[in-house]
Amino acid sequence: ILNNYRNFNHEKIHCTFIVNESIDSEFEREILTLGDQVFILANRKKRTITYIKELHSIAKKGGYDIAHVHGNSATMLFELIALKGNCRVICQAHTTGGIHSFMNRLLYPLFISMTELRVACSSEAGFFLFKNKSFEVLNNGINSQRYLFDVKAREKIRKNNGINGQKIILHVGSFCERKNHSFLINVFEQVANDMPDTLLWLVGTGSDLNKVKKIVERKELIHRVKFIGTVNNVEEYMMAADCFLLPSKVESFGIVNIEAQATGLPCIISDVVPKNVKLLNNVKFVSLRENERVWATKVEEALLGEVSYNERKKANEIVKKSEFDIKKTSEQLQEYYFRILNAKGVYS
């Protein structure tokens, strides 16, 4: 969302960010610096009625033209109820299953009857949430230039982490059931047995972090697996790595895979990831029905296949020319806003 926002024409489009319970302080500062607003509402899950009332009050007073709601399920009905009659409402789907399944089924009939403008970050996400209803795909995008391979950045990160010739497998994502960390660790265990000079870096945080750490300790891999945590230079970790591994159970799009490709990383990803994320030949899809041995073999092949620094730089050009470069996706989103309003001017 912020990637697109940063590339908006801020003289024509003004945005108010309404978030659930908290926002990263750096994001908030950036939004306020651009002259826009941020509202932090009550916990959407624990204080649903209060959340709906607060959102309704903001929408009623604000004189907005559009509300763009991002979500994973039919619980976006809460926003539809709060915003009804105050502005045109876009509901955007961001996942392909497994989120709020009970509530999704319970609220779905009313949710789908109230949706007017339906969009999704991929066809798969749209079909999951909207089923046979029409929707448009608004691509996720990245700032491709930021991910241009840099030898100095690679060497810096590797030196700072004590790397001396080892091969690095990288995963970037929140620690949750959807990201399939337990399977990922099992795959790495196989690779580690075959290739003693390999390490696994895990970037991110989340509710399952301690659970994954215990799995690593139980398998006696604590000296081979590094928990990097949350970083603001993930692109440099991608440059420092030698293979990207994404065995997710659910992925509506997998923007992190586009980022990895933009740094020229070979990618081994699950077949639930939408196929249109494959921009480079070194992206390999593997079924989650395959066992850890099959996955490990694919990872080992990627690690043994040398990719020159020059090839990694060239990969960035391919991504930059794709439909997933942020300049193109932000233009697509702005055009969509103006099209549904059928007017030009300054909007809130």
Side-chain angles (χ1 to χ4, degrees), residues 271-284:
D271 61 353
V272 304
V273 179
K275 301 301 182 287
N276 65 330
V277 303
K278 181 183 170 101
L279 302 176
L280 305 176
N281 290 332
N282 61 5
V283 175
K284 307 298 181 186

Side-chain angles (χ1 to χ4, degrees), residues 6 118 148 205 240 255 292 297 318:
R6 289 167 181 142
R118 295 175 291 272
L148 177 64
T205 188
I255 190 69
E292 290 92 342
T297 299
I318 295 173

Side-chain angles (χ1 to χ4, degrees), residues 18-260:
I18 302 176
V19 298
N20 172 33
E21 199 171 38
S22 66
I23 185 173
D24 183 285
S25 59
E26 290 187 14
F27 292 165
E28 182 176 23
R29 192 179 308 114
E30 181 179 356
I31 294 163
L32 296 176
T33 299
L34 285 168
D36 289 326
Q37 292 181 290
V38 176
F39 290 97
I40 301 173
L41 304 193
N43 185 293
R44 184 177 181 271
K45 186 175 181 180
K46 296 178 181 178
R47 301 174 60 201
T48 305
I49 301 301
T50 301
Y51 170 86
I52 291 173
K53 287 180 177 178
E54 289 177 346
L55 179 56
H56 175 76
S57 176
I58 293 169
K60 190 174 183 179
K61 296 175 183 176
Y64 299 101
D65 297 293
I66 294 172
H68 192 158
V69 182
H70 298 261
N72 301 309
S73 71
T75 62
M76 283 190 280
L77 176 65
F78 302 152
E79 283 77 20
L80 286 170
I81 291 171
L83 298 165
K84 184 176 175 59
N86 291 304
C87 56
R88 301 200 71 183
V89 183
I90 304 165
C91 288
Q92 179 157 354
H94 279 272
T95 193
T96 54
I99 305 297
H100 308 305
S101 56
F102 171 74
M103 289 297 290
N104 185 64
R105 291 193 299 270
L106 180 67
L107 302 176
Y108 192 81
L110 186 55
F111 162 75
I112 201 64
S113 70
M114 287 184 66
T115 56
E116 175 197 4
L117 300 168
R118 295 175 291 272
V119 299
C121 62
S122 69
S123 296
E124 289 82 351
F127 287 125
F128 166 74
L129 188 58
F130 303 124
K131 303 190 186 334
N132 61 346
K133 297 289 186 179
S134 62
F135 63 89
E136 292 193 40
V137 173
L138 298 177
N139 291 319
N140 287 335
I142 68 166
N143 180 351
S144 303
Q145 186 62 35
R146 176 182 170 186
Y147 294 86
L148 177 64
F149 182 79
D150 183 343
V151 177
K152 291 182 179 179
R154 174 181 171 87
E155 292 175 347
K156 179 191 73 174
I157 294 295
R158 290 174 73 89
K159 182 180 180 180
N160 290 347
N161 286 275
I163 304 303
N164 185 23
Q166 296 99 324
K167 295 283 189 178
I168 305 299
I169 301 167
L170 178 71
H171 176 270
V172 178
S174 59
F175 285 78
C176 61
E177 181 65 23
R178 288 174 292 143
K179 297 299 182 181
N180 210 9
H181 280 85
S182 58
F183 181 78
L184 186 153
I185 300 301
N186 289 339
V187 171
F188 176 68
E189 183 180 29
Q190 299 262 342
V191 176
N193 288 334
D194 297 338
M195 300 177 68
D197 64 340
T198 56
L199 300 173
L200 174 65
W201 285 355
L202 301 174
V203 174
T205 188
S207 58
D208 286 354
L209 177 59
N210 290 331
K211 174 184 173 183
V212 177
K213 285 184 175 180
K214 288 178 181 177
I215 294 173
V216 171
E217 291 172 4
R218 188 171 67 248
K219 291 181 176 292
E220 298 182 349
L221 292 170
I222 195 68
H223 299 298
R224 305 284 295 276
V225 178
K226 184 159 188 174
F227 293 86
I228 303 294
T230 302
V231 296
N232 58 13
N233 60 336
V234 68
E235 71 280 2
E236 293 184 338
Y237 282 86
M238 290 177 171
M239 294 172 196
D242 302 289
C243 176
F244 182 75
L245 183 56
L246 190 72
S248 302
K249 293 180 179 180
V250 176
E251 281 289 351
S252 60
F253 178 72
I255 190 69
V256 70
N257 178 251
I258 301 294
E259 294 171 343

